[in-house]
Each structure stands twice: as structure tokens, then as C-alpha cells.
Amino acid sequence: MGICLGAQLIATTLGGEVYQGHVKEIGWSRLTITSQGLASPLKHLEHVHVLHWHGDTFDLPESSKRLAGSIYYPNQAFAVGLNILALQFHVEVDPKSLERWLIGHATELNQAKIDILKLRQENVLYGQALLDKAKLLLRDWLNQLIPV
């Protein structure tokens, strides 16, 4: 499983191109989950706000299945077989630790003109639901892994 940079590394390793996107996508929003995504562990994220925090994007590797997109970028999640799952967004964030992200990335957020107060408010609204659904996603993904 690769998250954010990890998804980009998986994409490039498998032949996809990683490049700077047209907009920094930082904030909470819902995904558009494909039919293949709904048949995968990503099904748990349907109607759930996830945390986006990236400025780069990628083209899908030829061998992959697109699982989800966002309003800014069509490629937010993909899978290769059952063992490789790449997520451009963040499911690993604990709502209790987001403040550290905000402090550590204050310059980036300021330069991108991101409303930090809005990120804090949305973290309160959406953070716990994402954490709960992310646990289900991880459980299902781990349970389907094929030993190699």
C-alpha cells in the first residue's frame, strides 16, 4: 500500500508518469469511486470525506485499475491485482494529530493560500469518520492479500 508519495512511487515504478498538477489539492472532500473501486476495499470510503494534501499527480500504469478520482484529479486511487493499492489521498491521518501537520506545513499552506481554520473545522467534522472507515479499508485489504 502506498499513500500520497507512496502512490506516486508505485505509479512511476510500474511505468506511469508523475508530474506537477495544475492545483494543490489540500483539504477535505469526497472521492468519486469507480465501479471497480466499489468492488474493492475502497467501498468503505463511499460518501466519506478524505484528506487530500498534494500538488503532484500521476498517470495510471498500464497494468492498473482506477479505483477513485476527485474533482481536481481523476487518478486518486488504483490497484494492481489484489496486493498493490495506491492512494493519492490520506487515510492514515489521525484527527488528533492533524495540528502537527498544520504547524509543520504552515509555509506551504500560506503560499497555497489554504484556509487553516477551515482545515481545522473540517478535521473536527470529518476526521473521526475517516479514521473509522480507514480501519475497515485496511482490514479488508489485508484480508484479501495473496501470499507471494
Side-chain angles (χ1 to χ4, degrees):
M1 179 182 289
I3 297 174
C4 197
L5 176 61
Q8 295 166 10
L9 292 170
I10 291 171
T12 195
T13 299
L14 297 176
E17 184 180 348
V18 176
Y19 49 93
Q20 184 176 0
H22 63 280
V23 65
K24 274 200 180 269
E25 186 174 30
I26 300 176
W28 294 84
S29 69
R30 291 181 179 164
L31 299 166
T32 301
I33 301 177
T34 68
S35 58
Q36 290 178 317
L38 291 172
S40 79
L42 245 63
K43 67 185 174 208
H44 296 291
L45 299 182
E46 187 176 27
H47 308 299
V48 174
H49 284 76
V50 299
L51 179 63
H52 299 276
W53 198 304
H54 63 95
D56 293 333
T57 189
F58 50 80
D59 293 329
L60 294 178
E62 283 186 33
S63 57
S64 67
K65 295 185 296 189
R66 190 172 80 83
L67 304 178
S70 71
I71 61 170
Y72 295 112
Y73 296 106
N75 300 327
Q76 286 287 341
F78 68 90
V80 179
L82 296 175
N83 288 5
I84 298 175
L85 181 61
L87 309 174
Q88 178 70 40
F89 51 91
H90 294 273
V91 293
E92 82 285 8
V93 65
D94 182 333
K96 296 175 191 157
S97 65
L98 184 69
E99 191 64 28
R100 284 186 241 149
W101 291 39
L102 301 177
I103 293 167
H105 296 276
T107 300
E108 174 189 11
L109 295 169
N110 187 37
Q111 289 174 346
K113 299 188 181 353
I114 302 297
D115 185 341
I116 294 174
L117 180 58
K118 182 178 177 188
L119 284 175
R120 283 186 181 120
Q121 291 169 337
E122 289 181 342
N123 181 53
V124 171
L125 289 173
Y126 308 127
Q128 189 60 50
L130 174 60
L131 184 63
D132 294 343
K133 296 297 184 173
K135 290 175 185 177
L136 298 174
L137 181 155
L138 183 59
R139 179 203 65 200
D140 284 3
W141 181 70
L142 290 171
N143 285 337
Q144 75 173 12
L145 290 177
I146 299 170
V148 289

